[in-house]
């Protein structure tokens, strides 16, 4: 059951609840190994990436239980052992365990960098910071050993505000007495969610959400508890489905502040968005107008994870729109597939030039990665005719039952062989 069949051209109707953020829950789950005790994680989404990370926790000797949307981890009996490479490379979060295990066990092993194939996904920024923090790093053909018996508080300067590296450093510094400062830190909301989790453990953290984060580690971490923030990328996905099908929708369980960059862009396309405290209503016009230029950027800029999604909407919006992917070097896989639907797209050197056409037509397509798959669903919902999308297991990594959620809104979609 790894394909979607979508019959396009149907209006959607109603409201949808957004689940917890994958990219917040993953580093929080990894960090749950450092307190040698209990961590209660509320609003934790049930996704294949999360299930894989829970499998890593269990392989490390932790006990993990789920009660509805709450996951409880007990890391008292953690025992360091190398994790099978096929499991480690399934998600980017396996890199996240390095900081956590180095912090708790003074040793960590990274088998592979993992994550979607949207670029080379190096971890040099992580390792450079780890060395600054006193770790001895041994690299051998893509495998990394970190020895952390002499961790020290320090100031690390990131050459790029890497989300994963910022999270890894925060976690690695959490058991190191003294002040560790991260300059040019990532500002994403998921970083602040991780900081809230670490603070509940007794770690003192200041500056999360800004470019300078300071961490004062603790020698006696406590049981911890946190609520995962809503997934801003899933919210943007449903907003794109609304735009592609010209259907007003209500989207619940959102933090509208986390969507500010995205909302600002779609308002320029002629979409009306009414924001309430934890929800929003979206009213797309019959035909949107392409914004001349959009560039993805670190938060609070336009999110790279929404780039494929908005590209699908731009294909049937009026005029020429240029979108620049400035974060990952290989994140236009969806454009190749959208051409099969009759889109007018040219990609070159990290830019996609999209000329809006009246309508797309259904086609047989392939999901290259998580957000590509979701973007093809958005395009298929608004197209004339029937589309087939393969490799939808990618979509399962970041969306809780997308097929049923869209069906509940009136989409003609089913999951087939
Ligand atoms: C996180 O990936 C997210 N994944 C990504 O979401 C998201 O696109 C990305 O942040 C940017 O917002 C998770 O949180 C699990 P980065 P991460 O380190 O941490 C380069 C999704 O669809 N870089 O900020 O890997 C890197 O190659 C996924 O949910 C280095 O060069 O992102 C990329 O070009 C996809 N060296 C850029 O920085 C390093 O050591 C951004 O990477 C680290 C990163």
């Amino acid at each position: 059951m790894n394909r979607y069949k979508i019959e396009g051209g149907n209006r959607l109707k109603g409201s949808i609840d957004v689940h917890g953020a994958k990219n917040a829950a993953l580093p929080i789950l990894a960090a749950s190994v450092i307190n040698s005790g209990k961590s209660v994680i509320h609003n934790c989404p049930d996704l294949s990436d999360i299930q894989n990370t829970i499998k890593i926790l269990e392989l490390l000797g932790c006990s993990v239980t789920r009660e509805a949307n709450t996951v409880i981890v007990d890391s008292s009996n953690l025992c360091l052992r190398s994790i099978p490479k096929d499991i480690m490379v399934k998600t980017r979060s396996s890199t996240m365990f390095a900081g956590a295990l180095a912090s708790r066990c003074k040793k960590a092993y990274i088998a592979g960098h993992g994550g979607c194939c949207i670029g080379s996904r190096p971890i040099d920024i992580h390792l450079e910071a780890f060395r600054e923090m006193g770790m001895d790093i041994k690299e051998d053909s893509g495998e990394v050993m970190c020895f952390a018996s002499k961790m020290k508080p320090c100031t690390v300067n990131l050459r790029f505000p890497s989300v994963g590296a910022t999270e890894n450093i925060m976690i690695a510094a959490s058991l190191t007495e003294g002040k560790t400062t991260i300059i040019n830190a990532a500002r994403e909301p998921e970083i602040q969610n991780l900081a809230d989790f670490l603070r509940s453990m007794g770690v003192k953290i200041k500056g999360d959400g800004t470019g300078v984060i300071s961490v004062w580690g603790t020698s006696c971490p406590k049981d911890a508890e946190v609520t995962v923030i809503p997934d801003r990328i899933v919210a943007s996905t449903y907003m794109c489905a609304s735009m592609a099908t010209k259907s007003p929708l209500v989207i619940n369980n959102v933090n509208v502040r986390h969507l500010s960059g995205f909302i600002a862009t779609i308002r320029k396309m002629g979409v009306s968005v009414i924001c309430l405290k934890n929800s929003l209503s979206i009213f797309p016009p019959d035909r949107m107008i392409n914004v001349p230029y959009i560039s993805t950027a670190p938060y609070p800029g336009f999110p790279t994870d929404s780039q494929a999604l908005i590209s699908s909407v731009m294909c049937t919006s009026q005029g020429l729109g240029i979108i620049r992917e400035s974060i990952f070097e290989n994140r236009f896989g969806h454009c190749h597939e959208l051409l099969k639907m009759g889109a007018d797209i040219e990609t070159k050197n990290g830019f996609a030039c999209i000329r809006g056409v009246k309508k797309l037509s259904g086609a047989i397509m392939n999901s290259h990665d998580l957000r590509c798959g979701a973007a093809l669903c958005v395009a298929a919902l608004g197209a004339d005719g029937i589309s087939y999308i393969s490799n939808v297991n990618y979509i399962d990594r970041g969306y809780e039952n997308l097929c049923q959620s869209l069906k509940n809104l009136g989409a003609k979609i089913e999951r087939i062989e």
Side-chain angles (χ1 to χ4, degrees):
M1 297 283 273
N2 200 16
R3 287 208 306 166
Y4 281 165
K5 177 185 177 189
I6 296 173
E7 185 184 335
N10 297 286
R11 294 269 171 153
L12 306 180
K13 194 165 167 305
S15 65
I16 180 91
D17 296 343
V18 173
H19 56 69
K22 164 178 83 82
N23 293 346
L26 291 175
I28 286 169
L29 284 165
S32 69
V33 305
I34 67 174
N35 67 350
S36 317
K38 266 181 81 176
S39 298
V40 180
I41 303 161
H42 301 292
N43 197 33
C44 187
D46 192 5
L47 306 163
S48 58
D49 269 11
I50 298 291
Q51 292 152 15
N52 189 64
T53 301
I54 287 173
K55 199 182 291 177
I56 294 175
L57 287 169
E58 289 170 335
L59 282 170
L60 290 168
C62 300
S63 81
V64 185
T65 53
R66 178 182 274 273
E67 294 160 16
N69 281 346
T70 296
V71 167
I72 300 152
V73 182
D74 185 337
S75 62
S76 319
N77 300 318
L78 180 103
C79 58
L80 188 60
R81 59 167 73 93
S82 65
I83 294 153
K85 184 161 183 173
D86 63 319
I87 294 181
M88 277 296 255
V89 298
K90 272 196 189 143
T91 64
R92 183 78 180 157
S93 62
S94 51
T95 304
M96 200 58 58
F97 277 93
L101 293 173
S103 190
R104 162 95 186 258
C105 310
K106 306 304 172 209
K107 200 166 74 167
Y109 162 76
I110 307 173
H113 306 164
C116 287
C117 52
I118 51 178
S120 54
R121 311 299 294 272
I123 58 170
D124 58 306
I125 300 174
H126 299 242
L127 300 182
E128 199 177 310
F130 283 174
R131 287 190 176 96
E132 286 279 308
M133 298 166 81
M135 283 193 219
D136 181 19
I137 306 287
K138 298 260 181 287
E139 295 181 74
D140 177 13
S141 51
E143 310 206 340
V144 180
M145 278 304 294
C146 309
F147 300 95
S149 51
K150 299 191 289 305
M151 292 271 284
K152 61 185 182 354
C154 64
T155 295
V156 293
N157 226 313
L158 304 189
R159 68 173 173 79
F160 177 85
S162 155
V163 172
T166 302
E167 292 163 345
N168 232 343
I169 298 161
M170 287 165 69
I171 298 168
S174 289
L175 302 184
T176 303
E177 306 242 350
K179 178 182 176 184
T180 295
T181 300
I182 309 167
I183 311 279
N184 196 24
R187 302 160 184 248
E188 273 69 7
E190 293 77 23
I191 305 273
Q192 291 179 272
N193 208 189
L194 173 63
D196 289 340
F197 176 63
L198 294 171
R199 272 190 281 261
S200 79
M201 222 179 252
V203 181
K204 184 181 165 198
I205 299 179
K206 286 191 179 311
D208 44 297
T210 75
V212 180
I213 299 176
S214 293
V215 179
W216 289 263
T218 173
S219 54
C220 43
K222 305 177 293 182
D223 288 351
E225 185 163 12
V226 76
T227 297
V228 174
I229 58 174
D231 194 311
R232 58 196 169 98
I233 308 303
V234 169
S236 73
T237 304
Y238 288 117
M239 294 168 87
C240 288
S242 155
M243 293 186 274
T245 57
K246 325 287 181 227
S247 319
L249 286 179
V250 173
I251 299 173
N252 297 315
N253 302 347
V254 296
N255 180 322
V256 290
R257 209 166 28 83
H258 298 166
L259 282 159
S260 56
F262 181 81
I263 291 173
T265 298
I266 65 171
R267 278 177 169 155
K268 288 179 199 156
M269 294 175 76
V271 180
S272 151
V273 182
I274 298 171
C275 298
L276 301 174
K277 192 168 178 315
N278 297 312
S279 70
L280 63 86
S281 295
I282 178 169
F283 302 90
D286 277 344
R287 189 144 202 240
M288 273 134 317
I289 299 152
N290 272 324
V291 169
Y293 180 71
I294 301 172
S295 176
T296 61
Y299 189 87
F302 190 91
T304 172
D305 293 347
S306 301
Q307 179 262 111
L309 298 159
I310 201 71
S311 299
S312 287
V313 173
M314 290 169 69
C315 287
T316 53
S317 300
Q318 199 173 323
L320 170 67
I322 294 175
I323 192 158
R324 176 174 173 246
E325 174 49 64
S326 70
I327 307 290
F328 289 102
E329 70 271 25
N330 179 24
R331 201 167 201 177
F332 283 131
H334 53 286
C335 296
H336 177 76
E337 301 300 317
L338 292 169
L339 287 169
K340 296 174 185 173
M341 299 181 84
D344 180 348
I345 304 182
E346 285 172 71
T347 58
K348 195 166 181 206
N349 302 336
F351 291 85
C353 296
I354 302 174
R355 280 180 183 74
V357 297
K358 266 261 180 249
K359 265 283 182 184
L360 295 178
S361 311
I364 297 173
M365 298 177 281
N366 174 39
S367 314
H368 295 244
D369 58 69
L370 161 57
R371 305 302 173 188
C372 167
L376 298 180
C377 289
V378 164
L381 289 170
D384 279 340
I386 292 179
S387 296
Y388 293 89
I389 301 170
S390 57
N391 288 330
V392 295
N393 53 301
Y394 274 119
I395 298 176
D396 299 335
R397 298 184 53 176
Y399 296 84
E400 268 184 8
N401 209 339
L402 181 67
C403 183
Q404 190 55 51
S405 302
L406 291 171
K407 209 177 266 186
N408 295 345
L409 291 172
K412 287 194 173 173
I413 177 172
E414 53 185 313
R415 190 160 187 156
I416 57 177
E417 87 289 343

